[in-house]
Amino acid sequence: MVASSIVKFINDQVSAQVQGQMPETLKRAYRAADMVCEETPFLQTPTVQANKGRLYSWAVEFALERLIKNGAWDCDYQWSHYTKPTGRFLEVRLPHSRLSISRVKDPKKQPRDVRFRNNMRLNNQLTLLEEMQEEQAIQGLPHILLTHGGGDPDFAFLGIPHVVHSKGYLGRTGNLMLRPHVVVDSRVPIEDTDYEDDELLGLKEDIEKWLKENGV
């Protein structure tokens, strides 16, 4: 699959309406983290300020969980365990993929190479490569990564990480922070206007077959 087809798959999994909500959702999360620091003396120490990115990460995960809970993002999620060290991360359960979130300094690079994320992106090894052979069956659900960063934040991307950490991404969306902001009333169903082509449909059928065969 070429990069343009991968972006089509991402857009199929995360609708344009949901992507349009990301700028305001992320900005609010960052502002909330800043406000908590300003109002809490012990969070104003140099140690905390030097690691403020973690607060932003936690705030974004909390904001996205609320987006799902209030019905603005129609999907499921779970708090999955890291392999090592101990802890949990937000795993968004999409129809034909799984999504995790990470704050990064360089949007072109994957986040730190850790075991839990390596295990997830292994599912991208054969699923989305153009040279995939017939005997190379799907081994798991593709992993989509939402990355964000900067001070406001300045950028956010949805991408399919390359199985080789140093190679970045098989394909990514444009910067979500530059998209028109959308506020969706959770009481109104989101219209499905996603475009599907034969290649995308074929991939989704293969994933559905894997889901049935593995009882997922």
Side-chain angles (χ1 to χ4, degrees):
M1 249 188 181
V2 297
S4 60
S5 295
I6 292 172
V7 173
K8 285 182 182 179
F9 177 75
I10 295 171
N11 290 337
D12 173 84
Q13 296 297 287
V14 184
S15 70
Q17 291 88 347
V18 172
Q19 291 185 37
Q21 295 177 85
M22 290 297 175
E24 187 59 31
T25 300
L26 298 183
K27 284 178 179 291
R28 284 180 177 174
Y30 273 51
R31 287 198 297 266
D34 286 334
M35 290 174 62
V36 169
C37 285
E38 291 171 2
E39 297 169 359
T40 310
F42 80 86
L43 294 179
Q44 298 170 17
T45 63
T47 302
V48 173
Q49 292 300 308
N51 293 277
K52 199 173 180 180
R54 293 189 177 184
L55 290 177
Y56 290 139
S57 294
W58 295 332
V60 166
E61 288 193 332
F62 177 72
L64 293 179
E65 181 188 36
R66 289 187 64 185
L67 202 66
I68 296 170
K69 281 185 172 180
N70 69 22
W73 190 356
D74 186 15
C75 63
D76 198 4
Y77 73 95
Q78 64 183 24
W79 289 96
S80 298
H81 289 276
Y82 291 113
T83 307
K84 288 183 179 181
T86 57
R88 293 189 176 188
F89 67 96
L90 180 65
E91 181 181 348
V92 180
R93 302 173 66 85
L94 301 172
H96 298 87
S97 61
R98 295 293 181 261
L99 181 146
S100 66
I101 305 104
S102 185
R103 189 171 189 271
V104 297
K105 292 183 178 179
D106 187 342
K108 295 181 181 179
K109 295 181 179 180
Q110 289 188 34
R112 187 165 57 92
D113 194 13
V114 292
R115 184 177 298 179
F116 90 93
R117 187 171 289 113
N118 180 60
N119 291 341
M120 292 183 72
R121 73 166 182 262
L122 284 175
N123 296 336
N124 301 335
Q125 184 171 16
L126 301 177
T127 304
L128 299 173
L129 294 180
E130 187 176 10
E131 61 268 22
M132 183 172 68
Q133 303 297 318
E134 290 184 4
E135 66 270 19
Q136 295 176 331
I138 284 177
Q139 299 298 314
L141 293 175
H143 174 213
I144 297 175
L145 184 61
L146 169 62
T147 57
H148 59 91
D152 197 22
D154 302 315
F155 64 83
F157 293 88
L158 291 164
I160 298 282
H162 196 288
V163 66
V164 179
H165 180 259
S166 63
K167 293 189 176 182
Y169 295 86
L170 293 168
R172 290 189 312 160
T173 64
N175 187 353
L176 302 182
M177 302 308 295
L178 301 179
R179 294 184 61 130
H181 295 198
V182 174
V183 179
V184 177
D185 188 337
S186 62
R187 296 168 296 180
V188 180
I190 298 175
E191 182 182 1
D192 184 4
T193 57
D194 293 331
Y195 172 78
E196 295 183 337
D197 58 18
D198 292 339
E199 188 174 18
L200 178 59
L201 288 172
L203 173 60
K204 290 166 66 175
E205 289 173 358
D206 288 342
I207 294 172
E208 288 168 0
K209 179 181 178 182
W210 182 88
L211 287 170
K212 291 179 181 178
E213 290 176 348
N214 291 273
V216 178

